[in-house]
Amino acid sequence: MRVDLFDFELPDESIALRPASPRDSARMLVVRPDGERLLADRIVRELPDLLAPGDVLVLNDTRVIPARLAGIRVRGEAVSHVEVTLHKREGADLWRAFARPGKRLKVGDRIRFGEEGENMACLLAALDAEVEEKSDGGEVLLRFAFSGPALDEAIARLGHVPLPPYIASKRPDDAADLRDYQTIYARHDGAVAAPTAGLHFTDELFCALDTRGIARRFVTLHVGAGTFLPVKAEDTRDHRMHAEWGTIDDATAAALNAARAEGRRIVAVGTTALRLLESAVRPDGTFEAWRGDTSIFITPGYRFRAVDVLMTNFHLPRSTLFMLVCAFAGMETMKAAYAHAIAAGYRFYSYGDASLLFRAPEPPA
């Protein structure tokens, strides 16, 4: 499909630079299939009333790491400032990363991360890495001087919250982002971007969902920085997705199979949970324990087998995530929903408002 079909104009003031407070006070646009009261303006804390007892929420419990690192490239006597955003771990001491400006790096270069002038007697005062590979678009493979927990500790000390470019270009990260850009149920370190639909949940909202009889299960997909990359191809067939690692355990697979067998709905909280579920589901719509990389790219025409309802934020024009929601709820429906959201002053992107999408009926085979 032509990528320009997924373009739309978004006013700069629609981009949220801070989240709603409290989290569940964010607005939520409910989008149903044609003929079922197509659009409704609600708020996130009303979610329990919009779902049915027995529905199963599936949430991504990945934890965002401070994956943005500033450093100095050392090449003989020449030095140059660079910034990298880690996006996928490949080994105990290996990370794939996006470098800026990538043109300043070549294979064999050494990068030193850390503040100049710190006490270098401290083991973690600086962190060195060597460029092992370089790809198009500024992507590099870095081998660090530390590995395992020592590397994790160094990244935690020296790194910054990897705010999306549309926020980071307008303000620096601060102490509030350490809290705000993390779900309250984050457990497993590894994401370099938040599963942002989950940012809306509070303990009070979870209690209300429990009272309503809505179950919840957790999966893990370590979200990569590739989620922010624009689609530069003119046709979706020419776009390459970056792989992300995920896992679904036995207990969760069994719970989802029981729900499916009993006719209960599976509600994905965020596109990351949806993409993992659709990667793991069998052709007959059942699940088994699963772990590995996924680079699934969902565009209109895809047949969903795993998810019935999707809670998600509002996405960028021409992005793979806007393509995904168009596939899920229908392209014309989503274009109408986004036009309504912009006109009604909804807040877009990672710190913005939410939408609750009910899957469009499958076309006749």
Side-chain angles (χ1 to χ4, degrees):
M1 297 183 70
R2 292 194 346 250
V3 170
D4 62 4
L5 295 173
F6 302 93
D7 203 1
F8 57 90
E9 291 293 327
L10 184 72
D12 195 57
E13 59 268 22
S14 296
I15 301 173
L17 300 183
R18 298 284 184 184
S21 182
R23 293 175 182 232
D24 58 5
S25 67
R27 300 172 71 188
M28 183 165 67
L29 180 61
V30 180
V31 182
R32 299 182 183 275
D34 292 337
E36 296 184 26
R37 295 173 287 113
L38 180 61
L39 302 176
D41 299 309
R42 306 294 289 267
I43 59 175
V44 169
R45 69 168 59 102
E46 296 175 316
L47 178 63
D49 297 329
L50 297 166
L51 300 178
D55 284 349
V56 181
L57 285 178
V58 181
L59 305 103
N60 182 7
D61 63 6
T62 189
R63 185 173 183 82
V64 179
I65 64 171
R68 187 166 56 85
L69 297 165
I72 296 174
R73 183 215 68 200
V74 180
R75 186 189 299 160
E77 296 295 321
V79 297
S80 180
H81 290 274
V82 296
E83 181 179 288
V84 304
T85 300
L86 309 177
H87 77 85
K88 187 172 187 293
R89 192 165 202 156
E90 297 286 10
D93 61 349
L94 284 172
W95 273 92
R96 292 201 180 275
F98 296 113
R100 189 179 63 176
K103 63 184 179 181
R104 293 183 179 173
L105 296 176
K106 65 181 183 180
V107 173
D109 279 346
R110 180 167 58 88
I111 307 173
R112 169 152 292 179
F113 302 103
E115 296 291 336
E116 293 185 52
E118 289 195 31
N119 179 7
M120 299 308 291
C122 173
L123 176 64
L124 299 182
L127 173 64
D128 286 0
E130 182 175 320
V131 179
E132 291 223 334
E133 296 176 8
K134 182 180 177 183
S135 306
D136 293 337
E139 186 180 17
V140 294
L141 179 65
L142 299 177
R143 184 176 296 278
F144 287 90
F146 301 152
S147 66
L151 175 57
D152 298 340
E153 187 176 351
I155 290 171
R157 180 179 179 275
L158 299 172
H160 290 263
V161 177
L163 291 176
Y166 43 79
I167 296 176
S169 64
K170 293 179 171 61
R171 66 168 181 84
D173 62 293
D174 57 28
D177 294 307
L178 294 172
R179 175 194 66 244
D180 293 340
Y181 201 59
Q182 199 80 264
T183 65
I184 65 169
Y185 50 83
R187 286 190 293 180
H188 303 291
D189 287 351
V192 301
T196 55
L199 297 179
H200 298 293
F201 285 80
T202 63
D203 290 330
E204 292 77 13
L205 180 54
F206 276 144
C207 287
L209 289 162
D210 291 343
T211 300
R212 177 75 167 154
I214 296 163
R216 60 180 176 270
R217 307 296 305 188
F218 294 95
V219 297
T220 306
L221 183 76
H222 291 324
V223 191
T227 189
F228 303 126
L229 291 181
V231 177
K232 296 180 178 179
E234 294 183 0
D235 193 285
T236 57
R237 291 172 297 184
D238 299 322
H239 179 68
R240 179 177 70 90
M241 293 285 286
H242 286 81
E244 297 164 316
W245 184 91
T247 183
I248 299 173
D249 63 26
D250 287 309
T252 296
L256 296 177
N257 287 335
R260 184 67 78 209
E262 296 164 10
R264 295 183 281 126
R265 293 181 302 189
I266 295 174
V267 182
V269 176
T271 56
T272 62
L274 180 146
R275 291 179 58 247
L276 180 57
L277 292 171
E278 292 291 337
S279 298
V281 69
R282 298 184 182 113
D284 64 358
T286 60
F287 298 88
E288 61 182 349
W290 190 92
R291 64 191 293 120
D293 286 345
T294 178
S295 55
I296 188 171
F297 182 21
I298 295 175
T299 58
Y302 177 87
R303 285 188 170 268
F304 291 87
R305 299 191 300 274
V307 175
D308 304 296
V309 182
L310 170 64
M311 180 180 174
T312 185
N313 284 17
F314 292 94
H315 304 295
L316 282 73
R318 302 173 68 99
S319 65
T320 62
L321 300 183
F322 184 59
M323 295 172 191
L324 183 154
V325 298
C326 287
F328 190 81
M331 179 175 285
E332 294 308 314
T333 296
M334 290 312 303
K335 286 185 174 182
Y338 271 50
H340 171 87
I342 293 168
Y346 277 75
R347 302 164 73 242
F348 273 60
Y349 304 165
S350 296
Y351 276 156
D353 295 317
S355 62
L356 186 68
L357 313 180
F358 292 78
R359 194 177 76 195
E362 296 284 357

